[in-house]
Amino acid sequence: MAVGIAVLALGAGTATGETRTPGIQIVPGPDDPLEAQFVPGASNVVPATAAPATDIGQNKIQSLAAPYYACPGFSGIERTNPVANLYADKFQWGPYAAYKVGNGGGNINWASNPYKNASWYMWFHSLRWLGQGIVAAGQGDLTALTRVNTIAYDWYRDNPYSWKGNVGAWESTMHRTNVLLCLRQAILSGLQVTTLPTRYAWLDTALLSHARFLTNYWSGAWNHGTDESIALFGVGCTLGRADYRNLAQQRFAAGITTSIDSQGATNEQSTGYASFNYSLWGRAIAVMQNCGVDPGTTISTRRGLLAKFLTLATNSLGKLHQLGDTEVQSTYPWVGTPLEYAGSFGADGVAPPWRVGIYSAGYVFGRTGWGTDAARGFTGESSYSIRFGPPRAFHGHFDHTSITYTARGRDIIVDGGYAAYNAGAYRTWVVSPGAHSDMTTPLSTYLNPTTRLTASSVKTNAESYVLSDAPGSGISRVRSVLVLKDPDMLVTWDRASARTAQAFQTLWHLPSDQRASVYSRTTAIAAAPGDTTKTILFQIPYKQALPAGAILLKQAQTNPIQGWVYPTSYARKSAPTLMLARSGTTASILSFVVPVRSTGTVTYSVRQSGTTFIVNLNVGGKATSIAISGGGSLYRVR
């Protein structure tokens, strides 16, 4: 998912970063997620559950010269649809070749879906592919104006209200509303008139039907509902309809407090969608300001909290931890926020004062530092994420207790990633527990549990956490996590019990550029050819002997699917997955993930001190010790 830059109005009719053309004024909105988000047959409505904001639209903005709603652009979909293609009735989206969707004269077959792809179909109905033609029309190109007007009118004529039964047309309503608003501006600009000529009067009628649809079908408190409210507000601002503006403001007020909670986490269970929501709510502020409405302070306050969340969710490679439906993406360095520092690798802004963040929405983010130590630098720090919390919903995955980890300037433990919704079995896998670095029980049906964070401790040289849940019927699972600094190292102790015999598998997903080899029942090593870093991953018997096949390597496996990563929704890469395997009714798996220089070594010894189990380690010349107390606490000794 590409994340664009929302433009906030600074005052009367001004905005930062806006793109001006000789024709229409375009203030780019955030690039929308590329994948269709609606599930056919589902309600696709997220109810607002928190108390609404009370300060939106309570005051007028003084001295606004001319209220306006700027064209938000076309989210990049227009880039591969040049005006020449519009004259040929060709549409191109995503990885698919351009396809002729009409008769060459602007008479479009709106049932076209040659690639059987819901996202292709939704963006086809969005009309955003007309963007280059609309911009040209706004600059006075009357031939382009005729063609985009013909295609847009063809949609309006062939898809009469209500189009709710057509999920692609329904989901794209908010996008199409904005395209029609941009087209309206292009007509006025291109013809150099101040009111719509009679031949284009259909456009205002179409906008009213779209506003009617948006009024009757609100998706609620998630990114789609916010986008819908922005579009509805745009119609109200453009056509002077106070009723539409007021309803949109009420929905902003209802949505913000559920969409971004009081800690700053979003309800969509995806770091990528959290980033998109930050941009989207910035656009909500801007469109209200530009139309003379005071947006209040609740939205900006919640966005500030979300900026902190996204800062903590930035790994030491300057990217968001890839959680939920999230492609590998860099953190955007929003000026004046802590994201400025996180997104610029510490080159700009001020180092954040927080190193660890724990969110009741189900996230732990931590790092060894922000690169202020010259010996480490920004990318020399290590960083991690851990998932827990409420059951999977929205854009989340079945990833509870899973971990991602970076160190020594590279990914060490990764997530399975984000597969396109039409990826079939691979989409099912990438959402499943098996695509994440957690303990799985593949012989049982996953119950999508609530996972509790039952203990946490943050110290200068180590953090520890304990998580517990019931992933399957009659199964209990506990994961203790210990993250060390100097030496940087990740330790987990997984234990589980079940009423019936199970396969217990602690999975460690490694980056696609690494090659992994298993050396014994205890140890595997992974490294990229020519890299200066390798990962030594080993397990130590604790409360359970290691059976034959206690550590297995799975890669590019298709039945069952295992050993892949999706850095983007349409890019699947072979990647090593290490499986620490047990079977029976109980499991105890104590594992260590240790990134070291390519020539480095790890040695260890174990001893018992009363009821405490101690592991003494030497990691690349640095000595440390970890322990498990008789009561089950995993902690650092030295």
Side-chain angles (χ1 to χ4, degrees), residues 306-326:
L306 178 54
K308 177 181 178 181
F309 174 93
L310 291 168
T311 299
L312 288 163
T314 300
N315 66 26
S316 60
L317 309 179
K319 302 182 184 300
L320 295 175
H321 287 283
Q322 192 182 15
L323 304 179
D325 287 343
T326 301

Side-chain angles (χ1 to χ4, degrees), residues 355-356 366-368 382 384 456-465 481-489 491 624-626 634-638:
R355 192 173 57 80
V356 174
R367 57 195 304 122
T368 51
S382 65
Y384 61 92
S456 63
S457 172
V458 176
K459 298 181 178 179
T460 56
N461 63 355
E463 292 92 66
S464 63
Y465 310 94
V481 181
L482 179 64
V483 189
L484 278 67
K485 176 180 180 179
D486 293 329
D488 292 355
M489 180 169 59
V491 185
T624 190
S625 299
I626 67 101
L634 175 63
Y635 60 98
R636 182 174 189 168
V637 178
R638 65 180 175 118

Side-chain angles (χ1 to χ4, degrees), residues 266-499:
T266 69
N267 61 344
E268 300 198 41
Q269 298 188 355
S270 155
T271 48
Y273 276 90
S275 180
F276 175 60
N277 272 282
Y278 184 84
S279 299
L280 193 62
W281 282 105
R283 174 162 168 75
I285 291 173
V287 299
M288 282 188 279
Q289 289 177 332
N290 292 340
C291 201
V293 174
D294 182 358
T297 60
T298 299
I299 297 177
S300 59
T301 298
R302 292 294 173 106
R303 285 187 79 233
L305 294 168
L306 178 54
K308 177 181 178 181
F309 174 93
L310 291 168
T311 299
L312 288 163
T314 300
N315 66 26
S316 60
L317 309 179
K319 302 182 184 300
L320 295 175
H321 287 283
Q322 192 182 15
L323 304 179
D325 287 343
T326 301
E327 296 187 332
V328 173
Q329 65 184 69
S330 298
T331 295
Y332 188 80
W334 291 92
V335 175
T337 77
L339 289 164
E340 182 178 11
Y341 187 94
S344 68
F345 297 87
D348 301 306
V350 179
W354 344 276
R355 192 173 57 80
V356 174
I358 300 174
Y359 289 87
S360 58
Y363 302 89
V364 177
F365 300 116
R367 57 195 304 122
T368 51
W370 286 103
T372 54
D373 179 350
R376 277 183 177 264
F378 191 96
T379 59
E381 304 284 6
S382 65
S383 62
Y384 61 92
S385 73
I386 308 172
R387 282 283 285 124
F388 68 101
R392 176 193 178 262
F394 313 122
H395 292 289
H397 291 180
F398 296 121
D399 58 358
H400 283 187
T401 75
S402 70
I403 297 171
T404 64
Y405 186 51
T406 65
R408 295 183 57 84
R410 65 165 296 120
D411 283 312
I412 302 297
I413 301 297
V414 300
D415 186 87
Y418 174 24
Y421 297 135
N422 69 323
Y426 284 92
R427 168 67 184 175
T428 301
W429 171 78
V430 87
V431 173
S432 75
H436 304 91
S437 294
D438 53 4
M439 173 188 269
T440 68
T441 51
L443 298 182
S444 66
T445 300
Y446 191 71
L447 296 182
N448 193 19
T450 294
T451 302
R452 295 182 301 124
L453 178 65
T454 59
S456 63
S457 172
V458 176
K459 298 181 178 179
T460 56
N461 63 355
E463 292 92 66
S464 63
Y465 310 94
V466 181
L467 308 102
S468 64
D469 61 17
S473 179
I475 302 172
S476 64
R477 174 177 68 170
V478 179
R479 164 165 275 193
S480 295
V481 181
L482 179 64
V483 189
L484 278 67
K485 176 180 180 179
D486 293 329
D488 292 355
M489 180 169 59
L490 178 65
V491 185
T492 62
W493 177 31
D494 292 317
R495 57 270 199 203
S497 63
R499 288 197 299 262

